[in-house]
């Protein structure tokens, strides 16, 4: 029977995939669009809110600037999309901004880009999920009361879905993402049709509200407010870069499919954003930062609804079924927007791990061929942010978009150097024309995104952006430290170009003994078979009666090797053994000491709590001793016989049992050699010379919890 942990893992994640099935997890354009673009598409659910909310500080008259702010955001988005289409063709390996900056600007710039993207991915999950909970809480009071708990549960569910693999998560998110586009697009078309064709006078629920400005804004203050509004609306660009980081997940031709998906993303996001702002102006919709203070005159009990909800009520009518569809799809897409980060973060983390800037575990694929460690890491830190900021979107949004514009700007600078380098060697006129065009696009993109970055830093720094900048700095320093560690270890482990490894002068074998039982006899037999120069058994005297019984039993059985008793007046086991091992090796620095530790191998999880604790402590300490080798000699308890390993392997995968365990067909014999007895009493003492090998116990050796006979 599989363990409860394994059964739960299979239930949540599904059956593991073979490595050769990786090709089957690649995404077509229709699946890749919702997988990688849900973040950018969902921004139309809150970017208009942020634009109108910020403008409301100057009063209702400032809403006239909203179309121009939206137009500026559209220009930036189209520029970024055009720029990243150049990136995915030039660098299809999936490194995205990180690879572009590393190759063209240097490793430190690449690490800077990576740190910015990692922070932005975490914020994407926190902001998107918190925003989804806020939208859901506007119609469900229970959600509003427990928004932190609901947000955490949402992150956990997203994590579980993504751990099942890219294709399954893409399929799960395709229907809601396309549904959001259809519903919002249909709402906009219906509203514009009613206004321009039917001539209806549509007025939003907030159109007749009387609002007042929080501050008198004129001159430079007005300019600063418009810049702040633009920086808030620029949140619509988050997630665009995820496609360039996820090119390896596309089906072939990867670059072309990724570029096409980018174009589709840009077209849909721009259309929805412009449509919402346009219809909001036509319906005189108002959305304020602080309804309690800014709304001077309005209906009793007025509760401000989101922009999309107000438009849905205006177009379809209050209480209509389609209004609830609009509200539901908006909340759902905000939850699913985090999926972009769940696909971009692990891929980037894998590339960074491969380049030794993150722990190597980030490069490991899980059972479902997803980068499981990166997914879990992202979820944990997103939950920390959600809990720390109490799922407040208005607080989290101030930390947002700094990282993505850092990566945008450095990436475009790297692409300019990329084209300059290729233009120096390219002689084909047609190819040079294409390169000049691409360089012009990237140059314009760098100038525009750099300007936006400066605006974001100026307008959002004191509002919370400094936290994101500090996090980027910490991650930057940490990644450089990890790289230095890996480089130092690699240099330390590299063998010299000349010379051979120096063999040890002598090998001193020590068998740890607590009782004279079967595990001890097996350990002694195996130690003798290794032909050490000296061989001795060692026990620690923590109880005089037990030690005398062991010595008597040792003499009665006429054991062939001496038993050394180490006194321990304070009943400690680890330190006396370490001192004995050190004294054995101290005679010659070229000598090695091999410590043989008998172990129990148990078949039930609760038996781990009852055995092997002493061995774990001893192994942990002996591994730090220079010139000491630790050998575990397992003894399988009867409970291990209940583990049918062939059946366990078969239940974990649709494929045949993995590894060399083949009992009926294959290269291994169906029967293992019989276990032979411990060495006989007439073997003679072994103390100062090579030990003659005697019959050695053998049998199936399985990994398991370690320990000695002393429990």
């Amino acid at each position: 029977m599989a363990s409860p942990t394994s059964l739960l893992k299979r239930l949540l994640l599904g059956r593991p995939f073979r490595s050769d099935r990786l090709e089957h997890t690649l995404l077509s354009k229709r699946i890749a669009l919702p997988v990688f673009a849900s973040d950018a598409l969902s921004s139309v659910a809150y970017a208009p809110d942020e634009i109108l909310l910020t403008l409301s500080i100057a009063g209702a008259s400032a809403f006239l600037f909203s179309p121009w702010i939206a137009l500026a955001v559209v220009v930036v988005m189209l520029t970024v999309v055009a720029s990243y289409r150049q990136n995915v063709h030039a660098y299809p390996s999936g490194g995205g901004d990180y690879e572009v900056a590393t190759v063209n600007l240097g490793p430190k710039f690449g690490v800077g880009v990576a740190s910015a993207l990692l922070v932005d991915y975490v914020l994407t999950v926190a902001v998107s999920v918190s925003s989804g909970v806020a939208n859901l809480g506007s119609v469900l009071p229970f959600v509003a009361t427990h928004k932190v708990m609901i947000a955490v549960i949402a992150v956990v569910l997203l994590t579980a879905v993504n751990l099942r693999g890219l294709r399954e998560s893409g399929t799960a998110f395709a229907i809601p993402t396309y549904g959001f586009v259809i519903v919002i697009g249909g709402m906009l078309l219906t509203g514009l049709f009613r206004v321009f064709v039917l001539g209806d006078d549509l007025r939003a629920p907030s159109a007749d509200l009387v609002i007042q400005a929080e501050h008198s804004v004129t001159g430079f203050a007005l300019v600063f407010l418009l810049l702040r509004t633009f920086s808030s609306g620029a949140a619509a660009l988050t997630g665009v870069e995820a496609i360039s980081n996820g090119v390896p997940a596309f089906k072939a031709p990867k670059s072309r499919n990724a570029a096409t998906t980018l174009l589709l993303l840009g077209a849909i996001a721009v259309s929805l954003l412009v449509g919402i702002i346009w219809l909001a102006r036509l319906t005189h919709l108002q959305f304020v930062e602080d309804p309690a203070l800014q709304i001077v005159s309005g209906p009793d009990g007025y509760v401000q609804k989101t922009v999309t909800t107000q438009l849905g009520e205006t177009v379809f009518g209050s209480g209509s079924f389609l209004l609830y569809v609009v509200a539901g799809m908006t909340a759902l897409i905000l939850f699913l927007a985090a999926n972009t980060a769940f696909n971009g973060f692990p891929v980037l983390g894998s590339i960074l791990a491969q380049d030794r800037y993150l722990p190597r575990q980030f490069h490991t694929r899980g059972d479902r061929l997803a980068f499981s460690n990166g997914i879990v890491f992202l979820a944990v830190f997103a939950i920390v942010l959600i809990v720390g900021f109490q799922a407040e979107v208005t607080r989290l949004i101030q930390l947002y978009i700094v990282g993505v514009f850092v990566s945008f700007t450095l990436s475009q600078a790297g692409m300019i150097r990329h084209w300059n380098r290729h233009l120096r060697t390219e002689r084909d006129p047609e190819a040079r024309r294409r390169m000049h065009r691409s360089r012009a696009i990237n140059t314009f993109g760098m100038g525009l995104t750099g300007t936006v970055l400066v605006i974001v830093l100026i307008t959002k720094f004191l509002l919370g952006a400094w936290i994101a900048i500090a996090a980027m700095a910490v991650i930057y320093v940490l990644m450089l430290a990890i790289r230095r560690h890996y480089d130092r270890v690699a240099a330390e482990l590299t063998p010299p170009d000349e010379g051979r490894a120096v063999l040890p002068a002598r090998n001193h074998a020590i068998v740890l003994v607590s009782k004279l039982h079967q595990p001890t006899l097996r350990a002694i037999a195996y130690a003798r078979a290794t032909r050490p120069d000296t061989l001795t058994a060692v026990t620690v005297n923590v109880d005089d009666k037990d030690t005398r019984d062991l010595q008597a039993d040792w003499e009665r059985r006429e054991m062939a090797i001496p038993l050394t008793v180490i006194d321990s007046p304070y009943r400690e086991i680890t330190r006396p053994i370490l001192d004995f091992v050190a004294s054995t090796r101290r005679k010659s620095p070229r000598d090695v000491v091999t410590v043989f530790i008998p172990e129990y191998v148990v078949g039930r999880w609760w038996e781990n709590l009852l055995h092997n604790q002493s061995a774990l402590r001893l192994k942990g300490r002996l591994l730090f001793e220079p010139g000491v080798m630790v050998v575990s000699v397992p003894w399988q308890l009867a409970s291990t016989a209940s583990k049918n390993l062939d059946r366990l392997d078969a239940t974990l995968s649709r494929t045949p049992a993995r590894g060399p365990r083949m009992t009926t067909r294959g290269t291994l014999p169906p029967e293992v050699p019989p276990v032979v007895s411990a060495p006989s009493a007439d073997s003679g003492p072994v103390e100062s010379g090579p030990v003659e090998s005697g019959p050695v116990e053998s049998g199936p050796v399985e990994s398991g919890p370690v320990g000695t006979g002393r429990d």
Side-chain angles (χ1 to χ4, degrees), residues 569-644:
Y570 296 100
R571 298 161 304 283
E572 186 182 5
I573 296 176
T574 305
R575 174 48 58 184
I577 291 177
L578 292 175
D579 292 340
F580 181 82
V581 170
S583 65
T584 303
R585 186 175 178 272
R586 195 176 296 127
K587 301 173 184 177
S588 172
R590 285 187 55 194
D591 289 0
V592 297
V593 177
T594 304
V595 180
F596 295 85
I597 304 179
E599 305 178 4
Y600 297 154
V601 180
V602 300
R604 303 181 182 91
W605 66 269
W606 54 266
E607 291 178 308
N608 293 325
L609 305 175
L610 306 179
H611 301 283
N612 302 321
Q613 306 308 312
S614 300
L616 287 173
R617 292 194 298 270
L618 281 169
K619 282 186 175 183
R621 294 298 302 275
L622 288 170
L623 289 175
F624 289 94
E625 295 293 327
V628 176
M629 314 299 169
V630 183
V631 178
S632 299
V633 184
W635 179 271
Q636 289 79 22
L637 296 179
S639 60
T640 61
S642 63
K643 281 191 174 294
N644 187 326

Side-chain angles (χ1 to χ4, degrees), residues 303-334:
V303 176
Q304 180 171 259
K305 300 177 182 178
T306 61
V307 171
T308 53
T309 303
Q310 289 193 52
L311 291 179
E313 185 174 338
T314 305
V315 173
F316 299 124
S318 178
S320 66
F321 172 75
L322 290 178
L323 169 61
Y324 288 105
V325 172
V326 170
M329 281 296 180
T330 302
L332 186 58
I333 192 64
L334 285 166

